[in-house]
Amino acid sequence: MKRIALLGATGSIGKNCLDVIRRLRSQFRVVTMTTNNNTEILAEQAEEFRPTLCAVMDPHKVDDLQDRLSERKIQIRTGPEGLLEAATHPDTDLVVNALVGAVGLIPTIRAIEAGKDVALANKESLVMAGEFIMNLAQEKKVQIIPVDSEHSGIMQCLHGNRREDVARIILTASGGPFFNRRAEEFQSITPQQALEHPTWNMGPKITVDSATLMNKGLEVIEAHWLFGVPISHIEVTIHKQSIIHSLVEFTDGSILAQIGPTDMRLPIQIALTFPERMESPYPRVRFEQTRMLTFEKPDHEKFPCLRLAYKAAQDGGTTPAVLNAANEIAVQAFLENRISFEKIPSLIEETTTRHVRADRPSLNEILTADRWARGYVMKQLP
Ligand SMILES: NC(=O)c1ccc[n+]([C@@H]2O[C@H](COP(=O)([O-])OP(=O)(O)OC[C@H]3O[C@@H](n4cnc5c(N)ncnc54)[C@H](OP(=O)(O)O)[C@@H]3O)[C@@H](O)[C@H]2O)c1
């Protein structure tokens, strides 16, 4: 039986992860679960999965969680220490990091330091500190298993193949809801429109990132660190049907693609069971019902976030962490109706341009750059 720490249990990935575990109860036990402030859902989940420890980040919600679970012998924790206790609990084997944003970085690092394998949905960890994390994982001999469907696809294509035989990684992108909208109309895009993703049902931050194509930019950086492939060998293609989750081209010209339904439970299950496979009841791809598979080049002028992410990745050092932090603050401001959709990339560009990069940064330098970028963007907000 694999013992799981589930960070971000109340989010989109967290709930899907519990759905997978619900069907594979004899294989997995959830030992720790966390939320930011959603104590109502966390308490319901804890009633069902009976973890040893629950952590709520927001200290104002800890009494509420305690009250809701007063009948149960579940340890309750709060604040960053509570989150880290959940991430490093001695009775766990695999940490599923389903937190959103930079808050996921330190739990990823602490989990690796504690010798845990990590099923990583929190791509921001690798964007901020990919080199640091991958070196640490190697040192501690732990696995970082991707949860993102694209990276799960690449991992499956690479399985049994040699890394030195990889010529190119092709990440597929749905294109988001505005792929066909004219650039002149971007000014009027509302948060509500940006939150309506055509193929995936996800948390608000990644949904907006998908609409700006920043999500794909973050995934390029994630793939670079996970698979050790140079940025210049990682391409993006717009594939609206989201059936091919990514492709790997080898030096002999052969291309492997991973195909599956648009259902995150499948890559989550693969991350939990990898390298083994288990049966699943999830929808199957029926090619007869898929009239065509299309592939288009992304427009880097209309979607500057993708261009900015490539540039930050090429610049390296602390720049990707700054890109990530600026994006988090800008997306939040857009969701709060404080800035327009178009302002997201321009704020990020201004911030990454102003940043004085540190090369081969320490964790401290990365966190300092993250803080600086957040402060800088906040000062530019109306
Ligand atoms: N959703 C997808 O289909 C999908 C696909 C691929 C990759 N990913 C990646 O997976 C990660 C999670 O995405 P998501 O869509 O599941 O996000 P989400 O629905 O917003 O859930 C985020 C989770 O993190 C918790 N959280 C948020 N801020 C926190 C904080 N400051 N401290 C502690 N906990 C915090 C949330 O708690 P509350 O419930 O209390 O807010 C929630 O449990 C992201 O990195 C995303 O890019 C997601």
Side-chain angles (χ1 to χ4, degrees), residues 181-243:
R181 192 178 284 219
R182 292 194 336 219
E184 305 83 79
E185 295 168 11
F186 274 28
Q187 184 62 31
S188 61
I189 290 171
T190 65
Q192 198 47 43
Q193 289 167 341
L195 288 173
E196 281 162 19
H197 194 276
T199 48
W200 295 99
N201 186 8
M202 310 177 287
K205 191 250 178 192
I206 183 176
T207 307
V208 175
D209 285 350
S210 299
T212 61
L213 290 200
M214 178 55 94
N215 184 48
K216 213 45 57 179
L218 300 179
E219 287 180 8
V220 168
I221 304 174
E222 184 186 8
H224 165 62
W225 291 118
L226 275 173
F227 306 114
V229 173
I231 294 290
S232 56
H233 295 205
I234 304 174
E235 289 175 21
V236 171
T237 186
I238 305 295
H239 166 53
K240 289 195 185 125
Q241 298 76 22
S242 302
I243 283 178

Side-chain angles (χ1 to χ4, degrees), residues 112-186:
I112 299 170
E113 283 172 347
K116 316 285 181 193
D117 287 332
V118 180
L120 193 62
N122 181 259
K123 64 191 80 180
E124 294 89 348
S125 293
L126 283 176
V127 171
M128 294 174 74
E131 188 169 15
F132 185 89
I133 289 172
M134 296 313 288
N135 286 343
L136 189 63
Q138 197 174 19
E139 186 191 317
K140 295 285 175 187
K141 299 189 173 42
V142 305
Q143 280 190 292
I144 308 289
I145 309 158
V147 168
D148 237 327
S149 58
E150 293 79 357
H151 303 76
S152 173
I154 297 164
M155 174 181 73
Q156 293 173 70
C157 293
L158 287 176
H159 197 52
N161 285 294
R162 298 185 313 175
R163 294 295 157 94
E164 56 267 39
D165 293 337
V166 173
R168 193 165 57 124
I169 281 179
I170 305 164
L171 289 171
T172 53
S174 70
F178 308 126
F179 186 68
N180 290 326
R181 192 178 284 219
R182 292 194 336 219
E184 305 83 79
E185 295 168 11
F186 274 28

